[in-house]
Amino acid sequence: MGGMAAFLAGCASKFRSYNGPEVTRVRLYKSERLLVLDGAQGVLKTYPVGLGFAPEGHKQFEGDGRTPEGAYTIDRRNPDSLFHLSVGISYPNDADVAFAEAQGKPPGGDIFIHGGPRKGIDPTNKQDWTAGCIAVTDRQIEDVYAMVRDGTPIDIYA
């Protein structure tokens, strides 16, 4: 019987459905390592997160290990992410590109909220390990992926 339960658990989909209130905004508080999903009536969910391996300051260049700060949008989703599932953030914006170009460096990109922490890393412990992304557990990214739609604003605070 235990073998059958394990088999059925392995067949569970990473794609969850969500029929609750619309997520109208996402907020990330970097210093608190806290991701907040807001609806029209207030907070719907909160998650502890891990950030880029150099979490202080706004992302400026490719490879700096920082997580961006500012106003962006959720602009894409990746069901085949190397990190279980992921939703993309619209970094870099025009100002990010202009600043990096003025310094003669690329701004970087491919910033996501994703699951799949590396072995030994626990994002619920607010450990920073990504190259600039926002990391949650696999179960949490399944919720975020189901709840947050492309076009949702995300505000990232220091």
Side-chain angles (χ1 to χ4, degrees):
M1 180 118 168
M4 180 57 100
F7 172 75
L8 292 174
C11 293
S13 174
K14 64 183 176 181
F15 300 104
R16 302 197 179 280
S17 60
Y18 175 71
N19 297 317
E22 176 185 1
V23 175
T24 57
R25 181 174 70 149
V26 177
R27 292 178 285 143
L28 173 66
Y29 295 94
K30 288 173 54 175
S31 63
E32 296 175 37
R33 306 299 189 276
L34 186 66
L35 185 70
V36 179
L37 307 185
D38 289 322
Q41 302 300 315
V43 175
L44 300 173
K45 288 275 201 174
T46 62
Y47 303 101
V49 300
L51 301 172
F53 61 82
E56 300 299 320
H58 174 59
K59 181 166 195 61
Q60 296 178 324
F61 311 115
E62 183 176 320
D64 66 9
R66 294 180 177 166
T67 301
E69 296 170 1
Y72 298 94
T73 58
I74 300 300
D75 66 351
R76 62 201 182 280
R77 30 197 4 78
N78 184 356
D80 300 315
S81 172
L82 294 175
F83 299 101
H84 193 59
L85 292 170
S86 61
V87 293
I89 296 172
S90 64
Y91 176 89
N93 62 27
D94 292 342
D96 297 322
V97 171
F99 178 82
E101 285 179 353
Q103 306 301 311
K105 297 181 178 181
D110 286 336
I111 302 298
F112 288 86
I113 303 169
H114 63 67
R118 293 181 180 160
K119 188 175 177 83
I121 300 293
D122 178 7
T124 62
N125 249 354
K126 304 177 182 182
Q127 292 178 297
D128 300 320
W129 61 275
T130 75
C133 293
I134 302 156
V136 294
T137 67
D138 285 354
R139 171 66 187 169
Q140 292 166 340
I141 192 60
E142 290 170 3
D143 290 344
V144 171
Y145 196 91
M147 293 174 74
V148 178
R149 298 285 155 241
D150 291 357
T152 302
I154 178 169
D155 297 315
I156 304 173
Y157 304 100

